[in-house]
Amino acid sequence: MEKRNAQLKSCGLQARRRAGFIGVLPVLLTLSSCQSVFNLSGSDDIGPSRSPQIVSEVQKNDPRAQLGAREHPNILASYGGEYKDEKTERLVARIVGALTQASDNPAQSYRITILNSPAINAFALPGGYLYVTRGLLALANDASEVAAVLSHEMAHVTANHGIQRQQREEAEVIASKVAAELLSSDLAGQEALARGKLRLAAFSRNQELQADVIGVRTLGEAGYDPYAAARFLESMAAYAKFTAGDNNTDNSLDFLSSHPNAPQRVELARRHARAFGQEGQVGDVGRDYYLEGIDGLLYGDRPEEGYVRGRTFLHSGLGIRFDVPPGFDIDNKAEAVLATGPGDTAVRFDGVSASERISLPDYIQSGWVTGLKPETIKSIDLNGLEAATARASADRWDFDVTVIRIDKQIYRFLTAVPKGSANLERVASSIRNSFRKMNASEIASLKPLRVRVVTVRPGDTVASLAGRMRGTDRKLELFRLINALPVGGSVSAGQKVKIISE
């Protein structure tokens, strides 16, 4: 949940009035671095260029780059903006530089952006706009794995897939409009549009397979382990399976949501890699310098969105915290904090700015709650804070509404249970009663989670290292996952491994 009031407003009153806030709750719950390769030999004078070649200058007359530039702000908005860290930026630029020289178009320049998102993703836009999330960097275990993903995305650029897809989409839009005008039935027009979308999907799969072939070839020719593509596809699939148990987790921004991960595709990547030699005996993995480059990388929630620690949500900027009952999972999204628990129970927490002149009972009745029962509204004192509660009912759901005022901010808990469930009061009262302001020492001690690279010492085990993990109740599972350790796998003294800690 964003810290600034303006951002909190964006998930607030006006949108809820339009959509009917309570009524939609069940549905809602169900590198910033430029890299270009130039030959700078022939001069002994080492120093800054008087006419530096920068991506924006190289690409200024490239219509493909103009397409990428138009979409760039939207990408930043969707993925939390840029993640700025000089060490990590240099690492990714080093990988892209090696791939560029081995690619089908070594003259192509790339604008590389590390996105400040825990999602596991990388993608490219026409003209050389290349993106990778810090979440993907945290999951990868060596440079070859990141190179495998980026070489695939760079293949989309060199093969002009973005331009081809845009042209295809434009053609399908025109075709669907014509169909809608010529066919008297709206249903017929919708069917024509649906068929067009299926053709686009098939075309996209062909592009993905072509990018796989080009990407693995580039990976091997750049000197990286060509088998890293198949290996990291399996790691991403394992991560997707790990998060699939959490119904709150939104995987729509992850790599595998737009890149199919059939076992046949993994085997295809291995088959292309065999052209370079036997697995384990060819190519550089680049593990040591990679781990050095991501040591200290931000992991999980951004500080301005608050933190989830087990069953507790804490926000140092807003100075608030609350707990959910045992058996509940919390998902901290940009627009709200969501929690789900046993018996199809769901909770949403957010905040809006509101005038101090409006009373909390009047605020509850101001039109944003669908199915409100006005007679249930009552004012309460909540750990010394002004608050009010009410009940509502809509469709198959019963709701508890709790609002709390702190200065000019109103915080809102919406608890939903299936109609007639006895869990409503127990869950709602437990969560609301746990809500309080944080004290100064709590705020000072709260730090973001980061990837920490540690050296295994004599006596360390997988279990003891996993015990040092923070921010998850599934410590052993996550430790194995981010270190690509199979069940039954062990560690040895002197080995470098990743843990998640403050």
Side-chain angles (χ1 to χ4, degrees):
M1 192 175 67
E2 298 289 353
K3 175 179 177 180
R4 296 184 297 276
N5 284 346
Q7 291 167 312
L8 284 164
K9 285 181 181 178
S10 71
C11 60
L13 183 58
Q14 297 303 321
R16 307 303 172 238
R17 282 176 173 164
R18 291 194 299 269
F21 190 77
I22 291 290
V24 299
L25 179 65
V27 177
L28 292 175
L29 291 171
T30 35
L31 155 114
S32 172
S33 176
C34 294
Q35 175 68 20
S36 186
V37 179
F38 298 93
N39 181 5
L40 300 178
S41 61
S43 172
D44 294 326
D45 183 17
I46 306 298
S49 169
R50 298 191 179 193
S51 57
Q53 295 277 9
I54 60 175
V55 167
S56 59
E57 183 66 22
V58 172
Q59 296 181 339
K60 67 179 181 181
N61 296 318
D62 185 350
R64 296 169 300 176
Q66 292 169 13
L67 287 172
R70 187 171 64 235
E71 292 302 320
H72 180 68
N74 297 328
I75 297 296
L76 294 182
S78 298
Y79 282 86
E82 298 181 49
Y83 179 74
K84 296 181 178 295
D85 180 89
E86 189 175 330
K87 180 177 65 172
T88 310
E89 291 171 14
R90 285 198 305 267
L91 168 67
V92 178
R94 174 178 177 175
I95 295 171
V96 174
L99 294 171
T100 302
Q101 294 180 68
S103 72
D104 291 343
N105 184 9
Q108 172 71 53
S109 58
Y110 292 93
R111 173 173 177 164
I112 312 162
T113 303
I114 299 178
L115 296 168
N116 192 10
S117 169
I120 312 295
N121 212 348
F123 46 90
L125 294 179
Y129 282 74
L130 193 60
Y131 303 88
V132 60
T133 61
R134 59 174 170 83
L136 186 145
L137 298 178
L139 180 63
N141 276 282
D142 56 54
S144 70
E145 292 184 348
V146 174
V149 177
L150 294 181
S151 64
H152 173 99
E153 298 307 326
M154 292 165 69
H156 283 308
V157 175
T158 57
N160 280 326
H161 285 166
I163 298 294
Q164 293 172 11
R165 178 151 192 163
Q166 183 197 40
Q167 293 169 342
R168 186 81 173 198
E169 288 173 345
E170 289 172 350
E172 292 295 349
V173 168
I174 293 171
S176 65
K177 287 181 178 178
V178 171
E181 291 172 1
L182 292 179
L183 300 172
S184 58
S185 167
D186 288 341
L187 178 60
Q190 293 171 4
E191 289 175 348
L193 181 59
R195 287 194 297 271
K197 289 183 178 296
L198 288 174
R199 287 195 294 273
L200 276 174
F203 186 72
S204 178
R205 284 194 293 270
N206 291 334
Q207 290 180 331
E208 294 295 346
L209 292 173
Q210 184 184 3
D212 281 345
V213 175
I214 297 172
V216 172
R217 185 178 70 236
T218 303
L219 189 64
E221 291 179 353
Y224 286 111
D225 176 9
Y227 292 90
R231 187 169 69 244
F232 196 54
L233 276 171
E234 291 177 329
S235 287
M236 288 189 287
Y239 182 82
K241 185 177 180 180
F242 173 81
T243 59
D246 181 358
N247 294 327
N248 287 319
T249 302
D250 180 6
N251 292 321
S252 63
L253 297 180
D254 284 346
F255 187 88
L256 295 183
S257 67
S258 58
H259 297 71
N261 186 43
Q264 296 90 336
R265 188 177 176 198
V266 176
E267 180 52 38
L268 185 64
R270 283 202 173 93
R271 190 191 314 162
H272 290 300
R274 292 187 190 111
F276 293 91
Q278 189 174 343
E279 187 169 3
Q281 298 181 12
V282 61
D284 178 38
V285 296
R287 180 172 170 82
D288 288 341
Y289 74 79
Y290 182 77
L291 292 179
E292 180 182 348
I294 65 165
D295 189 18
L297 182 75
L298 183 66
Y299 184 87
D301 300 327
R302 293 180 289 151
E304 59 268 30
E305 292 180 346
Y307 305 104
V308 174
R309 296 290 188 269
R311 294 187 291 106
T312 303
F313 173 77
L314 310 98
H315 200 304
S316 57
L318 299 173
I320 58 173
R321 60 171 291 164
F322 64 85
D323 306 313
V324 297
F328 274 70
D329 294 317
I330 305 179
D331 188 29
N332 183 19
K333 297 182 180 295
E335 71 277 8
V337 180
L338 305 178
T340 56
D344 292 330
T345 304
V347 180
R348 177 185 175 110
F349 170 79
D350 67 4
V352 294
S353 296
S355 169
E356 292 180 341
R357 292 190 297 272
I358 187 171
S359 71
L360 291 182
D362 286 344
Y363 174 73
I364 291 178
Q365 296 185 83
S366 62
W368 59 279
V369 178
T370 300
L372 176 69
K373 299 179 178 179
E375 69 277 10
T376 65
I377 299 175
K378 61 180 179 180
S379 298
I380 62 171
D381 178 280
L382 200 58
N383 296 321
L385 300 171
E386 177 190 358
T389 66
R391 292 294 170 88
S393 183
D395 298 326
R396 297 175 293 107
W397 301 87
D398 290 332
F399 302 90
D400 179 274
V401 183
T402 298
V403 294
I404 308 157
R405 189 196 304 276
I406 299 180
D407 301 323
K408 295 182 179 180
Q409 200 71 26
I410 292 179
Y411 297 102
R412 314 187 295 191
F413 284 106
L414 300 170
T415 304
V417 300
K419 191 176 290 291
S421 171
N423 291 333
L424 184 57
E425 177 57 30
R426 178 181 60 81
V427 173
S429 62
S430 172
I431 294 176
R432 84 164 72 96
N433 290 333
S434 73
F435 181 91
R436 63 176 176 83
K437 296 177 70 173
M438 298 172 64
N439 58 47
S441 62
E442 287 177 312
I443 293 174
S445 65
L446 188 58
K447 296 179 175 61
L449 296 176
R450 297 187 181 274
V451 175
R452 302 295 184 188
V453 178
V454 300
T455 302
V456 178
R457 299 169 299 189
D460 281 341
T461 65
V462 169
S464 68
L465 290 165
R468 297 165 61 182
M469 300 271 285
R470 297 290 307 276
T472 178
D473 292 332
R474 302 161 67 187
K475 296 182 179 183
L476 186 58
E477 278 185 87
L478 185 58
F479 177 79
R480 289 190 181 278
L481 186 62
I482 64 173
N483 288 288
L485 281 173
V487 176
S490 60
V491 294
S492 57
Q495 178 182 352
K496 293 185 183 298
V497 295
K498 296 179 291 184
I499 63 171
I500 306 303
S501 186
E502 291 182 343

